[in-house]
Amino acid sequence: MDNIIDFMKKNFKSLLLVIAISVSLVAFTVSDFKSTPKNDPEKDKLLIELLTFVIERGHYDPVAIDDDLSKGIYNDYVLALDPSKRFFLQSDIDAFAVYKLKIDDQIKNKELTFFDLTYTTYVKRMEESTKFFKEILSKPIDYTVDEEIDTDYEKLPYAKNTKELKERWRKQIKLSTVSSMAEKLKLEEDKKKNDAEYVVKSFQDLEKETRESTLNSLNDYFSFIKDLDRNDWFSVYINAISSRFDPHTNYMAPDDKERFDVSMSGKFEGIGARLQKKNDFTEITELISGGPAWRGKQLEPGDIILKVAQGNEEPLDVVGMRLDNIVKKIKGPKGTEVKLTVKKVDGTISVISLIRDTVETEETYAKSSIIERNGVKYGIINLPKFYIDFENKDSRDAAKDVAIEVERLKEEGIQGIIMDVRDNGGGSLKTVVDITGLFIEQGPVVQIKSAGTKKEVLYDRDSRVQWDGPLVVLVNNFSASASEILAAAIQDYKRGVVIGSKQTYGKGTVQNVIDLNQFVRGNAVGDLGALKTTTQKFYRINGGSTQLEGVTSDIVLPDRYSHINIGERDLDNAMPWTKIDPAVYTTWNKQVNFDKAIDNSKSRLENNEHFQLIDRSAQWTKERRDASVYNLKLENFQKEQLELEEKSKEFKIISDYTNNLVFKPIKYDTALMNKDESFKEKRERWFENLSKDIYVEEALNILDDLQTKPVTKGDVNLKKKEKLVKS
C-alpha cells in the first residue's frame, strides 16, 4: 500500500537538489575509509546521520528529535526485539531504561551505546533460551495439569528472574504442543473411522512425536537467529527510529531494497499472499488474485500462520520468527508443496496444503464481466491495482485498460457499471485521475500537498464522458491510497454510489524510495540501502484528507471485519486527518434517482437476514481475536476447540451463499478463453467467486434503482435466497 506515485517524481527533484548540495557535509566524513568490515560501527554512525538528515529535510511533517521521539523509539525497539517477553529479564529492561530519554541525544552525537547494550544482552539471552527449551522438551509433557496461559503479552510483566523466565518458556512450549497433540489425536481418530484395520498410535508415541517436532522447529528457528549478524539487528534499530516519523517511513537494508525491486516487477514463484508481522505472529493481509492461495479459497486475510512445512516434512513453528525468514520458507519453486498451519479468523486451527506457482502480473490487470438480470445487462469491472509502466509509455496501464473494458461493455449493451476496487492497495496517481475522468466531465480529481508548499490540484481536462450511466463503486477495508482517491472523487461529485465496508483503509500519504548511496561521494563503506519516506498528502476535492478516516461508504455493508480495527487507524503513530480548502467543482446532475437508490438500499439491508448473519459473525470474530487465555490441559483444550468448531458451523451458511446470478465473459474474452486454457480457468474461477458474492448482488439492486426507467423486479431469486438463509 506504500505506493510510488509518478507525479511525485518531478516535485521531489527540488528536494533532492537541496540534499545533494548539503550532503557534502556528510560526504567528507567517509572519504578516508579504506575498508568496510561486515559489522562496521562507523558505517552505522554514518547511516544514522544520513537517515535523519534525509528524513528531516524530505519528510512531509518531520517531528522533532527530542525526548518524546526518544521514548517512542525506545518502546518500539524493545518491543520489536522481544514482543512476547520471552528473552529479557526485568533487570535488562531496567538497564535499558536509563537511555529511554537519551536516544535523541545519541542520534545527534552519533553514539551507539544503547544499541550496543541491547544487542549484546539480546545475544546473551538468546543463548540462554536455547538451554531452556532443550531441557523442557527432553522429558514428557504432562497434559493432565489444569493450567492456563495468557498471550496478551502487552499486559504481561517482564520475568523477574531466570526461574520465572524458564516457566514462561515452559507454558509457551506447552501451548504449541497441546495444539499439535489435539491435531494428531483427531487425525488418528479419523484414520480409524475410515479404516477399521488401522492401528492407532499410542498416546505416548504421539506425545514423543510432538516434542521432537517442536524441538526441531525451535532448533531451526534459533539457527536462523544465529545466522543474523549485527547489521541485521541494527536495521531493526534504525527502523525503530524511522518509523516514529510515520508508519510508512522505513529504512531498507540492501537485501530489503533488492526484495522491494523484485516485488515491483510483479512476478515471482510462491503462494501469492502478502504477510505482515503483528507482535510475535505473522498475519495474512492480502491474497494476490490468480495465485495459489487465492485459487485454493482456504486462506483469507486475517489468518495467522503458526507453522510451515515443506511437503511431507515436519512443520516448522514460525511464531516469533522474522518475517523475511518466514517468507523464505513459504516461497519456493513452482510445482512444490508447502503446508501452512494457520489460526483462522474465527479461532479454529487448519492445515492448508498449497502447490507453489508463478504469481503473474496478468491478474493485476483490469477485467470485466457481463451480468444479466430481469432482462437488463450490467457490467462489472474488477481493478486489483492502479498499474503503469513509467519506462514504457506504450505498455499497458490501468487507465487505458479500464477505458477499453468500458467500451467493450458498452458494445454488449450494458445499462450500469460496478467498479470493483475491493482489496486494491493503490498504485499510480496518473491512472486514477484518468480513470475518474472516464466517468465525469472535466474537473478536479484530487488535491496534493507537500510540506511548506501550496496545494496542487490534479484535473481531468478531457470534457468527454466515456460512461454517463448508473455507476456503483465497490470498496472494502483494504481499498487504499489510489482506490480511495477514486471512491472519494466519485462520491464528492455524486457521480455514483460508493458501497462496501464502513470505511476504506485510510492511507492518504505518498512515499518515495530514496537511494542513500547517491548522497555519499567516494563511498568506501559499502551499500547503504534506501529510505522510503512520506513526502506528500492526498486531499479530496471537498478538502478533507483520505488519511486515517479513509472514505466512508454511502451504503455500509457488514463484513467479517466490521468490528475489528483494520487499516491506517490501527497503526501506531499514523499521521493525523487534516483538511484544506476545497477545490472548485460541480456535482453531477444527471442522476435523478441518487438519493432514492441509497434509501432503498438501506431499507433492504434492514430486512436482509444474510447480512445480519454476517454482522453476527463479525461480532464473534472480534470476540475470538480478543481472546488471549488458553487452557493447557489437553482435555479442556480439545473441548474448547470443539466448541469453536461447533460455533463456526452456525456461520457456514455465509460461505455457502449463492446469488443465482449468471456471469458471462465479454466477446473479446470469449475468444481468448477458447484459445487459452489457463486464461479460461482464471475467468471461470472469477465468475464462480462472483456467483457467491452478496455484495455484488446488492450493487446490482442499486443499479436497478439508479435507472431512469423503472426495472421490473419480479425478484423470485430474492425469495429463494431468503428461504435459504432461514433454513
Side-chain angles (χ1 to χ4, degrees), residues 196-209:
E197 302 292 318
Y198 179 76
V199 179
V200 175
K201 291 181 181 179
S202 69
F203 184 90
Q204 290 75 17
D205 287 343
L206 293 175
E207 191 278 334
K208 186 179 179 183
E209 280 182 17

PDB file of all heavy atoms in Angstrom, residues 196-209:
ATOM      1  N   ALA A 196     -11.037 -49.627   9.558  1.00  0.00           N
ATOM      2  CA  ALA A 196     -11.177 -50.410  10.789  1.00  0.00           C
ATOM      3  C   ALA A 196      -9.919 -51.194  11.115  1.00  0.00           C
ATOM      4  O   ALA A 196      -9.670 -51.549  12.276  1.00  0.00           O
ATOM      5  CB  ALA A 196     -12.377 -51.359  10.667  1.00  0.00           C
ATOM      6  N   GLU A 197      -9.093 -51.465  10.106  1.00  0.00           N
ATOM      7  CA  GLU A 197      -7.870 -52.239  10.303  1.00  0.00           C
ATOM      8  C   GLU A 197      -6.713 -51.377  10.831  1.00  0.00           C
ATOM      9  O   GLU A 197      -5.688 -51.897  11.257  1.00  0.00           O
ATOM     10  CB  GLU A 197      -7.428 -52.862   8.955  1.00  0.00           C
ATOM     11  CG  GLU A 197      -8.467 -53.756   8.303  1.00  0.00           C
ATOM     12  CD  GLU A 197      -8.695 -55.021   9.115  1.00  0.00           C
ATOM     13  OE1 GLU A 197      -7.687 -55.595   9.593  1.00  0.00           O
ATOM     14  OE2 GLU A 197      -9.857 -55.411   9.292  1.00  0.00           O
ATOM     15  N   TYR A 198      -6.889 -50.070  10.780  1.00  0.00           N
ATOM     16  CA  TYR A 198      -5.797 -49.173  11.166  1.00  0.00           C
ATOM     17  C   TYR A 198      -5.480 -49.319  12.653  1.00  0.00           C
ATOM     18  O   TYR A 198      -6.377 -49.335  13.503  1.00  0.00           O
ATOM     19  CB  TYR A 198      -6.159 -47.717  10.853  1.00  0.00           C
ATOM     20  CG  TYR A 198      -5.084 -46.731  11.236  1.00  0.00           C
ATOM     21  CD1 TYR A 198      -3.933 -46.596  10.468  1.00  0.00           C
ATOM     22  CD2 TYR A 198      -5.202 -45.950  12.383  1.00  0.00           C
ATOM     23  CE1 TYR A 198      -2.931 -45.707  10.828  1.00  0.00           C
ATOM     24  CE2 TYR A 198      -4.215 -45.046  12.751  1.00  0.00           C
ATOM     25  CZ  TYR A 198      -3.074 -44.934  11.965  1.00  0.00           C
ATOM     26  OH  TYR A 198      -2.080 -44.058  12.320  1.00  0.00           O
ATOM     27  N   VAL A 199      -4.194 -49.399  12.974  1.00  0.00           N
ATOM     28  CA  VAL A 199      -3.752 -49.496  14.367  1.00  0.00           C
ATOM     29  C   VAL A 199      -3.398 -48.085  14.861  1.00  0.00           C
ATOM     30  O   VAL A 199      -2.443 -47.461  14.372  1.00  0.00           O
ATOM     31  CB  VAL A 199      -2.517 -50.415  14.499  1.00  0.00           C
ATOM     32  CG1 VAL A 199      -2.069 -50.474  15.968  1.00  0.00           C
ATOM     33  CG2 VAL A 199      -2.835 -51.800  13.970  1.00  0.00           C
ATOM     34  N   VAL A 200      -4.179 -47.604  15.790  1.00  0.00           N
ATOM     35  CA  VAL A 200      -3.998 -46.244  16.308  1.00  0.00           C
ATOM     36  C   VAL A 200      -2.698 -46.149  17.108  1.00  0.00           C
ATOM     37  O   VAL A 200      -2.378 -47.027  17.914  1.00  0.00           O
ATOM     38  CB  VAL A 200      -5.199 -45.849  17.207  1.00  0.00           C
ATOM     39  CG1 VAL A 200      -4.965 -44.477  17.846  1.00  0.00           C
ATOM     40  CG2 VAL A 200      -6.476 -45.840  16.393  1.00  0.00           C
ATOM     41  N   LYS A 201      -1.955 -45.068  16.889  1.00  0.00           N
ATOM     42  CA  LYS A 201      -0.712 -44.844  17.635  1.00  0.00           C
ATOM     43  C   LYS A 201      -1.024 -44.571  19.108  1.00  0.00           C
ATOM     44  O   LYS A 201      -2.049 -43.970  19.435  1.00  0.00           O
ATOM     45  CB  LYS A 201       0.048 -43.651  17.058  1.00  0.00           C
ATOM     46  CG  LYS A 201       0.618 -43.891  15.672  1.00  0.00           C
ATOM     47  CD  LYS A 201       1.374 -42.652  15.193  1.00  0.00           C
ATOM     48  CE  LYS A 201       1.938 -42.851  13.796  1.00  0.00           C
ATOM     49  NZ  LYS A 201       2.655 -41.644  13.318  1.00  0.00           N
ATOM     50  N   SER A 202      -0.136 -44.995  19.955  1.00  0.00           N
ATOM     51  CA  SER A 202      -0.341 -44.772  21.391  1.00  0.00           C
ATOM     52  C   SER A 202      -0.168 -43.295  21.732  1.00  0.00           C
ATOM     53  O   SER A 202       0.506 -42.548  21.011  1.00  0.00           O
ATOM     54  CB  SER A 202       0.651 -45.600  22.207  1.00  0.00           C
ATOM     55  OG  SER A 202       1.968 -45.096  22.030  1.00  0.00           O
ATOM     56  N   PHE A 203      -0.767 -42.906  22.858  1.00  0.00           N
ATOM     57  CA  PHE A 203      -0.646 -41.529  23.327  1.00  0.00           C
ATOM     58  C   PHE A 203       0.829 -41.185  23.555  1.00  0.00           C
ATOM     59  O   PHE A 203       1.280 -40.088  23.224  1.00  0.00           O
ATOM     60  CB  PHE A 203      -1.447 -41.351  24.625  1.00  0.00           C
ATOM     61  CG  PHE A 203      -1.457 -39.938  25.135  1.00  0.00           C
ATOM     62  CD1 PHE A 203      -2.436 -39.043  24.741  1.00  0.00           C
ATOM     63  CD2 PHE A 203      -0.459 -39.482  26.001  1.00  0.00           C
ATOM     64  CE1 PHE A 203      -2.438 -37.732  25.205  1.00  0.00           C
ATOM     65  CE2 PHE A 203      -0.455 -38.180  26.466  1.00  0.00           C
ATOM     66  CZ  PHE A 203      -1.452 -37.304  26.065  1.00  0.00           C
ATOM     67  N   GLN A 204       1.562 -42.142  24.120  1.00  0.00           N
ATOM     68  CA  GLN A 204       2.985 -41.907  24.418  1.00  0.00           C
ATOM     69  C   GLN A 204       3.783 -41.640  23.141  1.00  0.00           C
ATOM     70  O   GLN A 204       4.649 -40.759  23.109  1.00  0.00           O
ATOM     71  CB  GLN A 204       3.577 -43.115  25.160  1.00  0.00           C
ATOM     72  CG  GLN A 204       3.084 -43.297  26.587  1.00  0.00           C
ATOM     73  CD  GLN A 204       1.659 -43.843  26.665  1.00  0.00           C
ATOM     74  OE1 GLN A 204       1.134 -44.392  25.672  1.00  0.00           O
ATOM     75  NE2 GLN A 204       1.041 -43.683  27.830  1.00  0.00           N
ATOM     76  N   ASP A 205       3.478 -42.401  22.088  1.00  0.00           N
ATOM     77  CA  ASP A 205       4.187 -42.204  20.818  1.00  0.00           C
ATOM     78  C   ASP A 205       3.866 -40.839  20.219  1.00  0.00           C
ATOM     79  O   ASP A 205       4.754 -40.145  19.698  1.00  0.00           O
ATOM     80  CB  ASP A 205       3.817 -43.306  19.828  1.00  0.00           C
ATOM     81  CG  ASP A 205       4.460 -44.643  20.182  1.00  0.00           C
ATOM     82  OD1 ASP A 205       5.426 -44.639  20.970  1.00  0.00           O
ATOM     83  OD2 ASP A 205       3.986 -45.676  19.679  1.00  0.00           O
ATOM     84  N   LEU A 206       2.595 -40.462  20.286  1.00  0.00           N
ATOM     85  CA  LEU A 206       2.184 -39.163  19.739  1.00  0.00           C
ATOM     86  C   LEU A 206       2.806 -38.018  20.536  1.00  0.00           C
ATOM     87  O   LEU A 206       3.220 -37.004  19.968  1.00  0.00           O
ATOM     88  CB  LEU A 206       0.657 -39.039  19.749  1.00  0.00           C
ATOM     89  CG  LEU A 206      -0.103 -39.969  18.803  1.00  0.00           C
ATOM     90  CD1 LEU A 206      -1.602 -39.821  19.009  1.00  0.00           C
ATOM     91  CD2 LEU A 206       0.252 -39.677  17.343  1.00  0.00           C
ATOM     92  N   GLU A 207       2.866 -38.201  21.855  1.00  0.00           N
ATOM     93  CA  GLU A 207       3.459 -37.165  22.713  1.00  0.00           C
ATOM     94  C   GLU A 207       4.935 -36.982  22.378  1.00  0.00           C
ATOM     95  O   GLU A 207       5.439 -35.854  22.279  1.00  0.00           O
ATOM     96  CB  GLU A 207       3.275 -37.567  24.179  1.00  0.00           C
ATOM     97  CG  GLU A 207       3.619 -36.461  25.190  1.00  0.00           C
ATOM     98  CD  GLU A 207       5.108 -36.364  25.481  1.00  0.00           C
ATOM     99  OE1 GLU A 207       5.823 -37.396  25.322  1.00  0.00           O
ATOM    100  OE2 GLU A 207       5.584 -35.259  25.827  1.00  0.00           O
ATOM    101  N   LYS A 208       5.627 -38.108  22.160  1.00  0.00           N
ATOM    102  CA  LYS A 208       7.042 -38.047  21.815  1.00  0.00           C
ATOM    103  C   LYS A 208       7.249 -37.390  20.445  1.00  0.00           C
ATOM    104  O   LYS A 208       8.146 -36.547  20.272  1.00  0.00           O
ATOM    105  CB  LYS A 208       7.636 -39.462  21.816  1.00  0.00           C
ATOM    106  CG  LYS A 208       9.143 -39.486  21.608  1.00  0.00           C
ATOM    107  CD  LYS A 208       9.679 -40.909  21.640  1.00  0.00           C
ATOM    108  CE  LYS A 208      11.195 -40.914  21.407  1.00  0.00           C
ATOM    109  NZ  LYS A 208      11.736 -42.292  21.362  1.00  0.00           N
ATOM    110  N   GLU A 209       6.416 -37.771  19.481  1.00  0.00           N
ATOM    111  CA  GLU A 209       6.485 -37.164  18.139  1.00  0.00           C
ATOM    112  C   GLU A 209       6.308 -35.651  18.209  1.00  0.00           C
ATOM    113  O   GLU A 209       7.022 -34.889  17.540  1.00  0.00           O
ATOM    114  CB  GLU A 209       5.390 -37.751  17.236  1.00  0.00           C
ATOM    115  CG  GLU A 209       5.696 -39.104  16.647  1.00  0.00           C
ATOM    116  CD  GLU A 209       4.571 -39.579  15.726  1.00  0.00           C
ATOM    117  OE1 GLU A 209       3.745 -38.731  15.308  1.00  0.00           O
ATOM    118  OE2 GLU A 209       4.513 -40.776  15.436  1.00  0.00           O
TER     119      GLU A 209
END
